[in-house]
Amino acid sequence: MRASVLLSLVGCLALPSGAAVLGRCVVAERLQEGGLDYFEGYSLENWVCLAYFESKFNPEAVYENSHGGYMGFGLFQIRNTDWCDQGRNLCHVSCSALLNPNLKKTIECAKKIVQGKEGMGAWPSWTRNCQNSDTLARWLDGCKLSPLGQPSQPSPVAALE
């Protein structure tokens, strides 16, 4: 009995509390709202694919690569050595700001990264899993995204007035 209670308590301590894994369509919607759909020519499907393979849609993910000497932060696992305040800080952002589920700072920084000479190739996981994929459309399957940038249709009632 005591052992099972102790194991339950240890299990609770080992699990991250409040982990903010986002749904695929929520990620797609936030990335679209942030202006990533066809930013620098990369479709929204590419960005959602990248988010999955970098963090499994967890905007609070932190990964330490001891062999490479860097840490990755957030949805796109943005490296601290170049992009946030633990390195060269080319995005002018704190690494902790890249962990916010609203994704605003993450999107701003991703835009700077993709404008570099490597484009989305700056993320090896995109090159391996998304770049030449013939199934990218599946990343948006079932997502009800608004057609941003398109004028909204007037309602039939408004047209009669």
Side-chain angles (χ1 to χ4, degrees), residues 65-136:
N65 183 320
S66 55
H67 296 296
Y70 66 86
M71 291 177 70
F73 289 86
L75 190 73
F76 296 130
Q77 291 296 285
I78 294 171
R79 290 185 182 188
N80 65 331
T81 51
D82 292 318
W83 302 104
C84 57
D85 66 351
Q86 294 178 10
R88 296 186 326 170
N89 203 8
L90 297 173
C91 284
H92 308 291
V93 66
S94 70
C95 295
S96 63
L98 298 172
L99 303 176
N100 191 322
N102 75 22
L103 304 181
K104 287 182 171 106
K105 296 294 183 184
T106 297
I107 291 169
E108 288 173 16
C109 189
K111 286 179 176 180
K112 288 183 183 177
I113 295 169
V114 81
Q115 287 175 319
K117 65 181 178 183
E118 295 179 85
M120 286 190 90
W123 286 276
S125 66
W126 176 80
T127 305
R128 278 191 310 273
N129 301 293
C130 310
Q131 182 177 21
N132 296 315
S133 174
D134 57 359
T135 60
L136 278 178

Side-chain angles (χ1 to χ4, degrees), residues 9-21 58 60-61 99 101:
L9 287 173
V10 170
C12 289
L13 294 174
L15 296 173
S17 61
V21 175
N58 182 355
E60 296 177 357
L99 303 176

Side-chain angles (χ1 to χ4, degrees), residues 2 7 23-24 32 37 40 46 70 76 100 112 116-117 141 148 157 161:
R2 285 186 189 177
L7 287 175
R24 177 178 50 84
Q32 183 187 47
D37 193 15
E40 293 292 313
N46 276 283
Y70 66 86
F76 296 130
N100 191 322
K112 288 183 183 177
K117 65 181 178 183
D141 278 354
L148 292 179
V157 174
E161 295 175 350

